[in-house]
Amino acid sequence: MVDDTEVSRAWTDPLAVITVTVRAVESHLAEADIAEAVSAVVRQKPAQRKLAQALLGHPDLLTSMRPMGPPSVQRLIEELVSRGAQQVRPPRCAHCGRQKKLPHVHGAVRICSTCAARRRTTCEVCVTCGKAAPAAHRDLQGRPLCRNCTPHAGRNAMEIIRDHVRQADPDLSPAAVTAAVFGLAPTAGQQRRIAGTLQSVPGLLIGDGAKGTPKTIALIQALRAEGSTTVIVPACPFCAHMVALKFSREGLRCCRRCYDALRAEDCSSCHRRAATTSRTPDGKPLCTLCTREDVVNHEPCSRCGRTAAIVRRTAQERLCRRCFTMPTAVCSICGRTRPCYYATTGHPSCLNCVRRRRVKVEPCVKCGDVRPVRGRTNEGAPLCSGCSQRRKP
């Protein structure tokens, strides 16, 4: 029976709990080596908590070869073996009994990729010959085809994609369309899925891109890069901002902010309604600011030594906000050499441009000018900086 003190320690100091559990099995390993192995397997503290809770509830997971717990248990065992551990044993697949990587879950046990694929293989009726067999291919509508029936009957998927692009932009050359498609969908199956999506939603290339899939949005961006001027890159359908649509909401692609707004809850610490970043041991939601300020999530900085929130974490060091300096690059928006976000990518953005992009721009209810919103009336109408200030005699 695990007492409340051990559970609380697994939440506040998971690295110490994991180290003690491993030392009970491998007494010849030094604590520093075990801590390095844990940091190499799971760097983030939430993942360390999950691993500590699994080992606290079932300490024999390191030696019994039972396929249970998070996947970090297997990775920790492999890392300990590479450092000279002798008693730990990697888990075996719950279905085939082989010692392989177990990335999938079946109920409460873990299984390998082969057994997971075997579970997913079900017989379906082929739409061409009518035989019941595992689906080896699928047509443009996603219907199953057996191994003996070819998915290339009728028009080719590339021809269908070219026809849809030609309707949206007649001036774009077929060679440019082929290059754009092969750049993001090199296989025939991927091209068939794109063609099927374009047929089901004909207006994807001229404004309805948010109704498509990530592949169709990537196709629109690739066509724009090839020189198309009439293909329309979709904006977020909920906030109308031109940002990356990496999430799904109500059957449409949306941005991160609108996706988080759907999952917003009242923070248990500041009682502000915001997206839930983490939770307390009792399961209560915490926003991003409260998660960052929570002392439980603070760690010693490897440079200054003070215990604070870690904003930069690598295998070699952990840096707090005071010690971390952003890399300098040429901002892709203003063209100035400044400390930038995403400095190692092709689209670095400086702090001022990021802040300016986040500010909402709406018509002021008093003066009518389109300016950044600095305040609002009692009814919620936007006010600019000048109109939001109170006049004093």
Side-chain angles (χ1 to χ4, degrees):
M1 186 68 179
V2 182
D3 56 5
D4 296 338
T5 305
E6 294 177 344
V7 174
S8 177
R9 190 185 180 193
W11 186 267
T12 57
D13 195 1
L15 184 59
V17 174
I18 299 172
T19 304
V20 171
T21 306
V22 175
R23 283 274 294 175
V25 179
E26 302 286 349
S27 57
H28 66 282
L29 291 180
E31 293 185 1
D33 294 338
I34 298 175
E36 291 179 1
V38 174
S39 300
V41 172
V42 281
R43 297 180 182 178
Q44 303 294 334
K45 202 166 186 179
Q48 293 180 0
R49 289 171 180 164
K50 193 173 183 179
L51 177 60
Q53 290 171 350
L55 295 179
L56 193 62
H58 304 279
D60 59 338
L61 288 179
L62 299 175
T63 57
S64 63
M65 296 188 293
R66 290 194 300 164
M68 298 180 63
S72 56
V73 174
Q74 184 178 12
R75 297 199 304 268
L76 176 61
I77 293 175
E78 294 174 354
E79 185 68 24
L80 292 174
V81 170
S82 66
R83 295 175 182 268
Q86 301 175 358
Q87 304 298 326
V88 295
R89 296 289 183 272
R92 296 179 178 271
C93 177
H95 287 185
C96 64
R98 298 178 181 178
Q99 284 187 348
K100 302 169 62 178
K101 290 186 177 181
L102 310 178
H104 302 277
V105 178
H106 182 206
V109 296
R110 308 197 68 85
I111 59 177
C112 62
S113 299
T114 305
C115 295
R118 190 179 294 114
R119 287 187 62 251
R120 291 193 301 264
T121 303
T122 57
C123 293
E124 300 181 60
V125 179
C126 178
V127 296
T128 303
C129 63
K131 294 181 180 179
H137 312 285
R138 293 192 181 271
D139 59 3
L140 297 178
Q141 286 75 33
R143 297 176 299 180
L145 297 172
C146 68
R147 188 179 300 273
N148 299 325
C149 298
T150 175
H152 300 287
R155 300 177 62 197
N156 191 7
M158 184 62 73
E159 296 178 359
I160 297 176
I161 297 175
R162 289 198 194 100
D163 289 346
H164 283 276
V165 175
R166 190 182 301 112
Q167 295 176 5
D169 190 354
D171 298 332
L172 196 62
S173 63
V177 177
T178 303
V181 173
F182 272 104
L184 61 96
T187 63
Q190 295 173 344
Q191 296 172 12
R192 287 196 298 270
R193 285 191 287 272
I194 292 177
T197 306
L198 292 177
Q199 283 188 330
S200 60
V201 187
L204 285 178
L205 301 179
I206 54 175
D208 293 338
K211 299 179 181 179
T213 61
K215 280 291 184 181
T216 55
I217 297 178
L219 175 62
I220 293 173
Q221 296 173 347
L223 294 175
R224 297 286 296 188
E226 291 292 338
S228 176
T229 57
T230 58
V231 174
I232 301 175
V233 178
C236 178
F238 300 97
C239 65
H241 287 174
M242 296 298 297
V243 292
L245 308 182
K246 298 182 179 180
F247 301 90
S248 179
R249 173 182 172 181
E250 301 176 9
L252 300 174
R253 305 299 301 178
C254 67
C255 64
R256 177 61 183 268
R257 181 179 297 180
C258 296
Y259 177 75
D260 288 340
L262 183 67
R263 304 182 301 113
E265 298 181 72
D266 293 334
C267 178
S268 60
S269 179
C270 65
H271 307 290
R272 184 174 59 91
R273 189 162 187 85
T276 300
T277 303
S278 64
R279 295 185 180 274
T280 62
D282 302 334
K284 297 180 181 179
L286 289 174
C287 65
T288 303
L289 296 178
C290 294
T291 301
R292 188 182 304 160
E293 299 299 329
D294 192 356
V295 182
V296 178
N297 298 321
H298 291 181
E299 300 179 42
C301 177
S302 58
R303 184 171 298 179
C304 66
R306 71 187 188 100
T307 302
I310 302 300
V311 298
R312 176 67 173 177
R313 187 190 307 270
T314 61
Q316 293 78 20
E317 60 180 3
R318 294 174 174 82
L319 299 179
C320 64
R321 187 177 299 276
R322 184 184 301 174
C323 298
F324 173 68
T325 55
M326 297 185 63
T328 303
V330 179
C331 179
S332 60
I333 301 176
C334 64
R336 299 179 181 178
T337 302
R338 291 181 173 181
C340 294
Y341 295 102
Y342 318 110
T344 58
T345 64
H347 302 281
S349 303
C350 67
L351 301 178
N352 292 336
C353 293
V354 170
R355 295 192 187 109
R356 193 179 298 112
R357 183 180 297 179
R358 291 175 179 174
V359 173
K360 292 185 177 180
V361 179
E362 299 181 26
C364 179
V365 70
K366 286 189 177 181
C367 63
D369 295 339
V370 180
R371 294 181 178 179
V373 178
R374 300 300 182 186
R376 293 188 180 273
T377 62
N378 296 331
E379 293 79 15
L383 294 173
C384 66
S385 179
C387 298
S388 62
Q389 298 178 1
R390 294 184 178 181
R391 305 295 180 180
K392 295 182 179 180

